Structures are given as C-alpha cells and as structure tokens.
Amino acid sequence: MNLLIVGGAGFIGSNFIRHILKKYPTYRVINLDKLTYAGNLNNLKDIEGNANYQFIKGDIADERTVKKVFRLNKIDAVINYAAETHVDRSILDPSAFIKTDILGTYNLLEGIKEYKIAKYIQVSTDEVYGSIEKGKFTEESPFKPNSPYSASKAGGDLLCRACVKTYGLPIIVTHACNCYGPYQYPEKLIPLFITNIIENKKVPLYGEGQNIREWLYVLDHGNATDFILHKGKVGEVYNIGSGVEKQNLEITHFILDELGKDEAMIEKIKDRPAHDFRYALDCTKLKRLGWQSEYDFPSALRETIRWYLANDWWWKPLKSGGYLEYYKKQYQR
Ligand code: NAD
Ligand code: TYD
C-alpha cells in the first residue's frame, strides 16, 4: 500500500509513520509536511534512510503544492495529521489555524476527489464536541467548539462530512482524546511539565487544576488508526479513547512524584479563557469493530517521562526562544 501521510513530522504523525514502516515492510510512505514550529525532522531521524520512506516539504494550504503531490505520486490512502494544534496559540492568533485546519483540509479533499483516492482519514479531536460535565460524547454528539483551535478542526471535519454526503468520497473522520508520549512538542501539558521539572522550573497550572482530560498513549492512537485504515468503513466517524480520565492536578502530581519533586514546583496561574472543563469519549463503536487499547496509563506515562529524561537533545532546543514564557505572560495581563 502507498500511503500519503500529511503532517507526519509532528508528534502523532511521526509515531504513526514509525509504527507503519516497522509493521508493514512492503508499505511505502510519503510524508508531506510544512515543517512549522511543531514539525521536526528529528522526530524521524531513525527512519530517514528507509527505502520505503520519502519526505516532501510542502504547505497544504497551497492548492498547487497539494495537486502536484497527488499528480506525481501513486497514492492508495491519505491520512491527514497536519494541523495547528495548540489551544493557547489559537487564542493568541487563530489565522494559521483557519488556513491549515480548514483550507488545508479542503485542498486535500479536492485532491482525493480529483485523483480518486480509495481512502482518506481525517485525524481529529474530541475538542470539537465542546466540554461535557457528565457522561461521554458519542459520534452522534453535536459539535460545540469553544476555542479557535477546536472551531477550525470542526470546520475541517464538517467539510469531510459534506464530501461524504455530496460526492460519496471515501472519508473516515476520527475524534481522539488527549495523547501523550515521545516527541510531543513541549508546549502541551505533559511534555511541558516534565521538561520544566527536569530543568527545575515551576509548572504553570491553569486555575485550580481541576479540569479533566481523557489520556491516550500515542502508540495506542497509532494502532487505532492502523486498525481503522484496514477495517474502518468509509463514510463513518470513530471516537478513539482510553477511558482514562485524570484531573490536571493528578497528572501534575504523578510527574512530580516520578521526578522526586513536590508541590512547591506548582505555580497556579490565571485560567485559560473558555477553558473546557472535561472531555470524555464513548468508544463503543470502535470497540465493537474489534479495537482495544494496548497500553496502561501509569506504565506509559512513566515510559514517557523516561524518554524525556533520556532525550534532552530533542526538546532543549525547542524550549529556547521565549515563546512559551511570552504567551503565559499574555494570560496574566
Ligand atoms: P503537532 O502540532 O505535533 O504536529 C502537526 C504537524 O502538522 C507538524 O509536523 C506541522 O509541521 C504539520 N503542519 C502544520 N501546518 C501544516 C501545513 N499547512 N501543511 C503541511 N503540514 C503542516 O500535532 P499532533 O499533536 O501530532 O496532532 C496531529 C493531529 O491529531 C492534529 O490534526 C490534531 O488536531 C489531532 N489530535 C491531536 C491530539 C493530541 O493530543 N495531540 C489529540 C487528538 C487529535
Ligand atoms: P493541553 O495539553 O494544552 O491540551 P488541550 O487544551 O488541547 O486539552 O492542555 C491540557 C490541560 O492542561 C488543559 O486543561 C489545560 C491544562 N494546562 C495547564 O494547566 N497548563 C499549561 O501550561 C498547559 C499547556 C495546559
């Protein structure tokens, strides 16, 4: 199978490419990625020389770039990971989110229509459903996005829906909960807190740290996407979750304990605007199809902490430049 992985130099995409090349030695992977601040060829250093792997630098918001990739390559399936992904950045400046997450998705959909691609997976998030106090979101739950990030993702997902209904395109949309694991850019909660503590810096917890997220190990996201690529039904939507719900404060304490530090390292700061209280997914549909997660939370989070301890060559350069401190200060104004 020839796969076009879009946004494969980011966190989830790079872990997925590594998984595919290892598990299916006959598959060929093209990785189309703009290499934004979040895209990093260091995420794929170990597979650079693999004969089944090719990297193309390009922006999916540029229609000509996308068309050219489809014209020049034989592609059986497309998996779209490319997006602007950080809620805090979307609050400060949504423009790139609109371009990549909506216009970029549109360009890919035009590509699969014109070149009659057999399968397209739109990798999306539970955040499009909004926040839920009790119970879980199913695939039928309405979209109620609260941040420019989730609104842009919802826009891309709705275009996918429209293309299924209007043109019968072979699209599957997935909505996953929060992922963690190696190669996650150190601006998201888990890698930011791990790396700050390793550097002996305080960790900026929004509000009282009561907000709840459902946490999925990145390799479980990968094996779910692999499963959906091979067994998922086109035109369908699948939630991908773990059932592991944690308050941010619990996550913080877990990391502090593992690294031998105490709560003196916590700095409670002003809350994120429109901060979603809780996300939780009902994954009955995917489980009925036969998928189940393979990794348990404490071991996988411990493994993740060990990975950041052993790989500061990877994350230290990403933390320079002061951007993280800059946007935290914006919240304090
Ligand atoms: P990431 O921010 O780590 O990586 C995004 C990748 O997309 C980067 O390699 C970047 O260079 C690339 N990209 C951005 N704009 C592009 C453009 N215009 N053209 C081509 N490439 C572009 O993101 P991630 O955490 O790996 O998330 C991947 C996908 O999974 C996203 O669509 C996100 O919404 C979704 N998702 C993420 C999570 C999570 O917890 N991280 C959970 C559920 C869903
Ligand atoms: P994040 O990793 O940004 O993912 P998302 O907002 O997309 O779920 O944040 C996860 C949770 O952690 C969220 O409730 C916000 C909180 N958080 C902090 O308290 N401090 C931080 O510095 C960050 C980045 C997040």
Side-chain angles (χ1 to χ4, degrees):
M1 191 178 320
N2 294 317
L3 293 177
L4 174 62
I5 309 283
V6 186
F11 163 50
I12 308 183
S14 62
N15 278 289
F16 183 73
I17 291 175
R18 190 172 292 102
H19 162 90
I20 288 289
L21 291 174
K22 196 169 159 205
K23 184 163 166 198
Y24 304 103
T26 61
Y27 283 22
R28 299 188 57 233
V29 169
I30 295 173
N31 175 12
L32 169 64
D33 196 297
K34 185 181 176 184
L35 298 182
T36 65
Y37 78 95
N40 186 350
L41 291 179
N42 278 342
N43 297 7
L44 293 157
K45 245 190 173 351
D46 50 331
I47 55 142
E48 249 165 24
N50 188 312
N52 288 338
Y53 173 74
Q54 184 195 344
F55 176 72
I56 300 173
K57 185 170 188 300
D59 182 351
I60 56 165
D62 179 46
E63 185 189 339
R64 281 190 312 179
T65 301
V66 173
K67 286 272 165 72
K68 193 170 162 201
V69 171
F70 279 103
R71 194 173 66 242
L72 297 182
N73 296 282
K74 187 185 165 319
I75 297 161
D76 300 307
V78 177
I79 307 180
N80 179 26
Y81 291 94
E84 288 293 331
T85 61
H86 192 35
V87 173
D88 293 329
R89 287 183 189 249
S90 83
I91 293 168
L92 289 183
D93 181 4
S95 58
F97 291 73
I98 310 295
K99 286 189 195 110
T100 295
D101 304 9
I102 303 178
L103 181 60
T105 299
Y106 166 71
N107 287 335
L108 293 172
L109 296 174
E110 285 292 299
I112 64 157
K113 184 164 74 174
E114 186 174 343
Y115 290 88
K116 300 191 170 35
I117 305 300
K119 207 168 216 181
Y120 173 96
I121 301 180
Q122 172 76 354
V123 177
S124 192
T125 164
D126 54 7
E127 303 192 26
V128 296
Y129 299 124
S131 182
I132 190 165
E133 292 266 333
K134 287 200 180 98
K136 296 182 176 207
F137 294 118
T138 72
E139 289 83 356
E140 306 300 320
S141 298
F143 284 10
K144 289 186 181 171
N146 295 315
S147 71
Y149 162 61
S150 50
S152 310
K153 289 296 292 181
D157 299 352
L158 289 173
L159 281 172
C160 289
R161 178 192 155 87
C163 287
V164 170
K165 299 284 176 192
T166 308
Y167 309 114
L169 295 187
I171 297 168
I172 295 174
V173 178
T174 66
H175 298 288
C177 61
N178 286 58
C179 295
Y180 64 97
Y183 300 106
Q184 185 169 30
Y185 195 88
E187 64 184 351
K188 306 276 166 61
L189 177 78
I190 288 181
L192 176 68
F193 281 22
I194 295 172
T195 57
N196 269 19
I197 293 166
I198 295 173
E199 290 180 304
N200 213 22
K201 287 187 190 151
K202 290 199 171 189
V203 293
L205 192 64
Y206 294 150
E208 292 301 313
Q210 310 281 303
N211 301 59
I212 295 167
R213 297 289 181 268
E214 180 175 345
W215 291 100
L216 180 72
Y217 192 48
V218 67
L219 299 184
D220 264 335
H221 189 285
N223 63 45
T225 307
D226 175 355
F227 181 85
I228 289 166
L229 174 68
H230 294 95
K231 301 227 170 71
K233 200 170 145 218
V234 296
E236 294 290 331
V237 175
Y238 297 99
N239 286 345
I240 310 174
S242 61
V244 177
E245 289 184 42
K246 300 282 173 205
Q247 283 189 336
N248 295 336
L249 198 57
E250 288 178 78
I251 297 280
T252 308
H253 278 293
F254 188 107
I255 297 170
L256 287 169
D257 288 351
E258 284 299 315
L259 292 170
K261 292 284 161 74
D262 64 31
E263 59 191 10
M265 297 296 283
I266 299 176
E267 185 183 9
K268 288 189 178 159
I269 65 167
K270 194 172 153 192
D271 210 350
R272 174 190 275 175
H275 192 176
D276 284 334
F277 178 67
R278 174 175 173 261
Y279 306 132
L281 289 172
D282 180 331
C283 300
T284 310
K285 187 170 170 183
L286 190 57
K287 285 188 184 148
R288 282 219 180 106
L289 207 62
W291 178 77
Q292 57 186 40
S293 64
E294 288 174 17
Y295 296 88
D296 81 273
F297 175 79
S299 319
L301 185 51
R302 252 177 229 122
E303 191 53 44
T304 302
I305 294 170
R306 272 198 287 273
W307 187 87
Y308 282 91
L309 277 168
N311 290 285
D312 63 357
W313 68 272
W314 181 85
W315 57 263
K316 276 229 159 108
L318 304 179
K319 290 190 88 174
S320 62
Y323 183 77
L324 295 162
E325 287 75 13
Y326 166 75
Y327 77 65
K328 292 285 178 311
K329 273 196 205 111
Q330 296 296 304
Y331 280 3
Q332 305 313 305
R333 295 194 325 174

